[in-house]
Amino acid sequence: AQTVTQSQPEMSVQEAETVTLSCTYDTSESDYYLFWYKQPPSRQMILVIRQEAYKQQNATENRFSVNFQKAAKSFSLKISDSQLGDPAMYFCAYRSARGVVQGAQKLVFGQGTRLTINP
Amino acid sequence: EAGVTQFPSHSVIEKGQTVTLRCDPISGHDNLYWYRRVMGKEIKFLLHFVKESKQDESGMPNNRFLAERTGGTYSTLKVQPAELEDSGVYFCASQPGLAGKRQETQYFGPGTRLLVL
């Protein structure tokens, strides 16, 4: 079974600075997806960024980028120019790419990292 | 386009009572998922519907939990009787049909916070 580990329960960053959230995972599969989701306080969880394992290029979405190290099974999220709207729980998640095989579509989450911003 | 909605947003019940959670997915999404986050722990998968059929219910903790999706639209998750360890946040997510598409995203609702006293 796949597992996802986020070793940082809490992180803090100064406004306008850069922060990196760590995520490692364990799988025997070669094709899969990795995600970072963000859940602001009292709001719903939204997708921040997505990476396909077969793509070597790291995904980027505006101020958010990932460092995907497939051999090391590491998938960290870098938030640049941190803003007051960034505080949230950040969840790293894994999903198999085995198509419609039973059980393949579910997301496997890490424990989450709570990010706070210092103005 | 309306997002995934869940009702109620909060529920406080006593041990032994019954609670029913509801999820309305994004219109037209065939796939509906239930997840749960127990305090301080990771979000865990409960089950997956494709239209009205249960595709995967391997994450359901026990037979006190019953999920339905009549007509392939909204879904309910009933806990009967509730126990203390059922407390947590229950998330619902929906996703378009997967046929031929690799990159479908799951869209989450705001969750229902359940507290069993």
Side-chain angles (χ1 to χ4, degrees), chain B residues 68-81:
Chain B
E68 295 180 325
R69 192 183 181 194
T70 306
T73 55
Y74 71 91
S75 174
T76 58
L77 179 65
K78 183 164 72 173
V79 185
Q80 179 182 29

Side-chain angles (χ1 to χ4, degrees), chain B residues 3 18 26 36 45 60 66 70-71 77 80-81 85 95 99-100 103 105 114:
Chain B
T18 297
I26 294 172
R36 176 175 75 170
F45 167 81
M60 294 288 264
L66 175 64
T70 306
L77 179 65
Q80 179 182 29
E85 63 265 25
Q95 182 180 28
Q103 297 197 54
T105 296
L114 175 64

Side-chain angles (χ1 to χ4, degrees), chain A residues 67-78:
Chain A
N67 183 5
F68 173 47
Q69 301 289 327
K70 191 172 184 180
K73 296 180 182 175
S74 172
F75 182 62
S76 61
L77 174 70
K78 184 172 80 171

Side-chain angles (χ1 to χ4, degrees), chain B residues 28-47:
Chain B
H29 282 194
D30 289 341
N31 295 275
L32 187 149
Y33 303 81
W34 283 98
Y35 295 87
R36 176 175 75 170
R37 185 178 190 220
V38 172
M39 180 68 72
K41 296 193 176 180
E42 70 271 24
I43 300 169
K44 285 195 172 180
F45 167 81
L46 296 177
L47 88 159

Side-chain angles (χ1 to χ4, degrees), chain A:
Chain A
Q2 295 82 23
T3 60
V4 177
T5 301
Q6 294 178 248
S7 59
Q8 305 157 316
E10 296 184 0
M11 289 286 284
S12 181
V13 63
Q14 295 286 340
E15 191 177 357
E17 296 295 309
T18 294
V19 63
T20 298
L21 308 184
S22 300
C23 173
T24 59
Y25 59 94
D26 189 29
T27 183
S28 59
E29 299 177 331
S30 58
D31 195 13
Y32 48 85
Y33 305 103
L34 295 165
F35 306 86
W36 278 98
Y37 278 89
K38 167 186 177 181
Q39 187 182 23
S42 302
R43 295 177 62 184
Q44 57 205 93
M45 197 150 49
I46 58 172
L47 179 66
V48 174
I49 199 164
R50 168 177 58 207
Q51 176 80 41
E52 293 183 85
Y54 71 87
K55 291 185 176 179
Q56 292 185 338
Q57 187 173 8
N58 289 325
T60 299
E61 289 287 343
N62 300 314
R63 298 183 295 108
F64 298 89
S65 61
V66 298
N67 183 5
F68 173 47
Q69 301 289 327
K70 191 172 184 180
K73 296 180 182 175
S74 172
F75 182 62
S76 61
L77 174 70
K78 184 172 80 171
I79 306 173
S80 304
D81 185 25
S82 297
Q83 299 178 358
L84 294 179
D86 292 336
M89 283 294 293
Y90 285 81
F91 294 98
C92 178
Y94 170 103
R95 200 192 96 200
S96 172
R98 289 181 293 144
V100 295
V101 172
Q102 183 179 16
Q105 291 83 49
K106 65 183 179 187
L107 292 170
V108 178
F109 285 91
Q111 301 90 332
T113 297
R114 182 176 301 279
L115 178 67
T116 57
I117 304 290
N118 300 317

Side-chain angles (χ1 to χ4, degrees), chain B residues 2 9 13 16 38 43 45 47 69 87 101 104-106 110-111 116:
Chain B
S9 58
I13 61 173
V38 172
I43 300 169
F45 167 81
L47 88 159
R69 192 183 181 194
S87 297
K101 299 180 181 179
E104 294 295 350
T105 296
Q106 292 185 24
V116 183

